[in-house]
Amino acid sequence: MLILGIESSCDETALALCGDSGTVASVISSQADLHALFGGVVPELASREHARLIGPLLDSLLSKAGLGPDPWDKIDRIAVTRGPGLLGCLLVGVAFAKALAVASDKPLIGVDHLQAHLLAADLEHNLPYPSLGVLISGGHTHLYRMDSPVDMAVLGRTIDDAAGEACDKFAKMAGLPYPGGALLDALGRRGRADKDLFPRPYTHNDNLDFSFSGLKTAGLSWIMNHPEAKFPAGGLPARDRLDMASPELCDAAASFLLAIAETLCIKARRAMSTFAPRSIVVAGGVAANSVVRSAFAALSTETGLPLYIPSPALCGDNAAMVARAGWHMAMAGRCHGLELSAIPRGHAIPQDWKPCPAA
Ligand code: KG4
Ligand code: ZN
């Protein structure tokens, strides 16, 4: 079974092909440098970029995959991220996928972007189920009970900012460009964490939800009280002059990331007492973070549960994970009709799949 996966939920346009033994080919174009000019993703610009890039990217994917003169004979299903994400961006991918499905007479599959992130780990490993899924991205922080690749239930979620959002806002206030999470990681590696500098927010309760807005505010007030520690403005991209960062900022970055990582682990440990997971999966852009990876490695040792984190290149948005999620949906006999809707952030993804004949 060969699945074409399409991703356009935010600022990455990506396409990939996934077969029975994994990813066949993958292409991606990031708009991060464009949005950095505005300090964050501009939805209208992002949709236009997706519309401009998605066709040429499909051409380059098909030539990279080397499927021969008629690739559409070999592709069995068209899978596309239907949400959550920016609505205009999602609509570009969904409309493109519908057009391909009609033109090639292949079934369509709508994929949940957050579940696809978790299945990035399944691209590289055979996951033991049930698994505790920790999804940490720019827009979402969710804990999942993963019963199988197609059956996942949300156990907890952020009630305000996501972990990635908190990192990006702290980085922005510190003088770093958008998206600042990876730069904060690089600065933190140069510093020493003070575990008392920032709080472990919203942990003195008995629930599985997160709230990172208080931590974000604590980070912003630290920057306001230490204006001399801010990253200096300059002509060259920040990533090429990280050695100009003050030692105080490097220490604060390490401390901020430790607060995020420990908060995630506190709630993940608590979630493990609600069922009997056989593994832990950590995924999403923030799963690329070195402090988060070490904290979960320690949790894995402590609990004896194997830990699966995608390689850093597969933590951020990509289409290989969407194609993989589509592959699992197809194997479970699930697909969608042409009425497939795009679901913006904050709305539940409906379970409106229908039975699909075997390929
Ligand atoms: O999953 P993702 O690529 O897009 C969404 O679906 O949101 O996640 C993007 C988020 C951004 O907030 C970015 O700053 C953060 O992931 N991120 C990181 C790192 N790499 C990306 N945050 C901390 N450390 C990193 N190394
Ligand atoms: Zn994402």
Side-chain angles (χ1 to χ4, degrees), residues 8-59:
S8 71
S9 64
C10 189
D11 58 349
E12 258 93 30
T13 322
L15 294 103
L17 285 161
C18 176
D20 297 338
S21 41
T23 306
V24 173
S26 178
V27 293
I28 184 161
S29 172
S30 173
Q31 308 171 9
D33 288 345
L34 169 71
H35 298 292
L37 299 172
F38 303 92
V41 177
V42 183
E44 170 77 15
L45 280 182
S47 313
R48 290 186 199 195
E49 281 297 283
H50 288 307
R52 186 173 73 80
L53 293 166
I54 203 162
L57 277 170
L58 175 64
D59 289 342

Side-chain angles (χ1 to χ4, degrees), residues 55-242:
L57 277 170
L58 175 64
D59 289 342
S60 66
L61 177 78
L62 294 180
S63 68
K64 198 171 169 185
L67 296 182
D70 197 353
W72 295 103
D73 279 352
K74 311 216 168 64
I75 296 170
D76 297 296
R77 304 275 190 274
I78 318 286
V80 61
T81 293
R82 70 180 303 195
L86 297 169
L87 188 58
C89 295
L90 292 167
L91 285 170
V92 174
V94 168
F96 189 70
K98 286 181 181 177
L100 291 176
V102 170
S104 65
D105 197 21
K106 301 286 156 72
L108 182 69
I109 298 175
V111 166
D112 179 327
H113 178 81
L114 306 182
Q115 298 190 5
H117 266 301
L118 293 168
L119 292 173
D122 169 275
L123 278 167
E124 299 169 316
H125 306 278
N126 276 328
L127 302 181
Y129 292 96
S131 182
L132 173 69
V134 183
L135 180 275
I136 35 179
S137 71
H140 299 86
T141 306
H142 277 28
L143 291 175
Y144 282 89
R145 174 189 168 124
M146 301 168 65
D147 285 311
S148 81
V150 292
D151 292 302
M152 303 187 198
V154 177
L155 300 174
R157 67 181 78 215
T158 180
I159 58 171
D160 43 50
D161 294 342
E165 208 169 335
C167 289
D168 292 343
K169 295 264 168 60
F170 179 67
K172 187 173 177 179
M173 279 296 285
L176 295 163
Y178 167 88
L183 295 169
L184 217 52
D185 194 1
L187 293 190
R189 285 174 204 239
R190 294 159 186 247
R192 273 181 64 150
D194 171 356
K195 66 178 178 45
D196 298 318
L197 189 58
F198 296 116
R200 310 300 180 252
Y202 205 60
T203 49
H204 298 291
N205 52 38
D206 57 4
N207 68 44
L208 299 176
D209 291 329
F210 299 95
S211 166
F212 287 108
S213 65
L215 176 60
K216 181 183 75 180
T217 308
L220 303 191
S221 32
W222 185 89
I223 300 281
M224 283 192 319
N225 291 330
H226 299 80
E228 71 293 342
K230 279 179 79 164
F231 193 75
L236 284 176
R239 59 178 171 261
D240 296 332
R241 49 188 183 89
L242 290 178

